[in-house]
Amino acid sequence: MTMGTTTQAYGEPWYWDNRYAHESGPFDWYQKYPSLAPLIKLYVPSHHQRILIVGCGNSAFSEGMVDDGYEDVVNVDISSVVIEAMMKKYSNRPQLKYIKMDVRQMDEFQTGSFDSVVDKGTLDSLLCGSNSRQNATQMLKEVWRVLKDKGVYILVTYGAPIYRLGMLRDSCLWNIKLHVIEKLVVEEKSGHPIWELTSPVPLENDGRSVEELLGENPDVHYIYVCTKDESLKTSSK
């Protein structure tokens, strides 16, 4: 299978079923929980909040959240293979729930039923597949729907603002803050990070100001913290 074919298959259940059937250990896309924990704690301050992890895969991220005290972490993935494996693995952790579900159609969840949604690479995967923009928009609308008003969608992505801001703003009514984290976190590394994780990066309308601050093609993951704000419906009329 060529790289192009593999990438296009990222939006297909069969690809992930096949991958997880042959992948034994946990794998975390982009970042592991300890590196993102300060930001999660900033935007999800209460351990009693209900959290949704979309496209969970076999990641240990949710386990890290529960170990850190979070009490209600719901995980969804389109792959029945990985959901069955994770349900078995964490059968003794009632704080962790695993459900097979397509993020483009989360009918099982009521509107406004989650305080936060965390996405590490799921939107990016949909953007690699066919009908990418349509699928990504469907997902974003569902994420917005299941969030409570003032709930947060934390999107971890390789997509710079010029590629992601327009899509986020066109899909739903969000208040958006941007954070960044370096792709390779080396504990022994000397010097300061390119930007402090918990400090938002100033955003202008098109996001081009970010490149001026961080330099051209910075080696970072972008973290968009999108707050659902229903009051924007009134102001946009």
Side-chain angles (χ1 to χ4, degrees):
M1 182 179 284
T2 66
M3 178 59 72
T5 306
T6 303
T7 302
Q8 290 170 5
Y10 277 2
E12 303 297 333
W14 61 262
Y15 169 81
W16 296 107
D17 279 342
N18 183 64
R19 174 170 175 153
Y20 290 126
H22 296 90
E23 191 172 276
S24 55
F27 178 80
D28 265 289
W29 290 87
Y30 301 159
Q31 300 284 336
K32 296 182 178 180
Y33 178 70
S35 64
L36 292 176
L39 195 70
I40 298 294
K41 292 173 184 176
L42 180 65
Y43 289 105
V44 192
S46 170
H47 287 167
H48 305 300
Q49 290 182 316
R50 192 174 190 223
I51 301 153
L52 175 64
I53 310 292
V54 291
C56 62
N58 59 10
S59 163
F61 194 88
S62 299
E63 178 186 355
M65 293 192 74
V66 169
D67 288 344
D68 219 5
Y70 290 97
E71 299 170 358
D72 190 0
V73 184
V74 180
N75 303 267
V76 300
D77 199 281
I78 201 169
S79 167
S80 58
V81 170
V82 81
I83 288 297
E84 289 170 13
M86 297 300 271
M87 287 175 68
K88 183 177 180 180
K89 181 177 181 179
Y90 293 113
S91 59
N92 63 336
R93 304 292 293 268
Q95 307 94 326
L96 289 170
K97 301 172 185 66
Y98 287 89
I99 305 170
K100 181 187 181 297
M101 193 176 295
D102 188 331
V103 293
R104 297 168 297 181
Q105 189 172 359
M106 297 189 284
D107 296 345
E108 193 169 325
F109 299 139
Q110 293 182 352
T111 297
S113 55
F114 289 94
D115 298 283
S116 60
V117 176
V118 179
D119 171 6
K120 291 195 305 118
T122 299
L123 183 71
D124 288 354
S125 293
L126 288 178
L127 287 169
C128 291
S130 56
N131 300 318
S132 57
R133 187 65 183 240
Q134 177 184 344
N135 287 329
T137 299
Q138 283 181 327
M139 173 188 161
L140 289 169
K141 288 182 180 298
E142 275 292 88
V143 167
W144 194 91
R145 182 187 66 79
V146 302
L147 275 172
K148 296 177 181 177
D149 189 34
K150 302 303 187 290
V152 293
Y153 169 47
I154 301 174
L155 167 64
V156 185
T157 171
Y158 62 78
I162 57 171
Y163 302 111
R164 293 290 182 271
L165 269 184
M167 177 185 303
L168 289 167
R169 288 170 174 162
D170 290 347
S171 66
C172 304
L173 297 172
W174 304 108
N175 280 317
I176 302 173
K177 290 183 179 179
L178 174 67
H179 295 258
V180 295
I181 186 170
E182 290 175 75
K183 289 181 179 177
L184 296 177
V185 178
V186 182
E187 292 179 6
E188 297 83 8
K189 187 171 65 174
S190 60
H192 297 287
I194 190 171
W195 194 271
E196 186 62 40
L197 173 62
T198 54
S199 299
V201 180
L203 266 181
E204 293 181 356
N205 284 338
D206 60 1
R208 296 184 187 276
S209 58
V210 173
E211 196 171 272
E212 296 173 10
L213 290 168
L214 304 180
E216 189 175 350
N217 299 319
D219 196 25
V220 299
H221 288 126
Y222 299 89
I223 307 166
Y224 300 87
V225 180
C226 309
T227 302
K228 176 177 178 175
D229 190 347
E230 295 185 331
S231 70
L232 294 173
K233 290 180 181 177
T234 306
S235 61
S236 64
K237 288 180 180 179

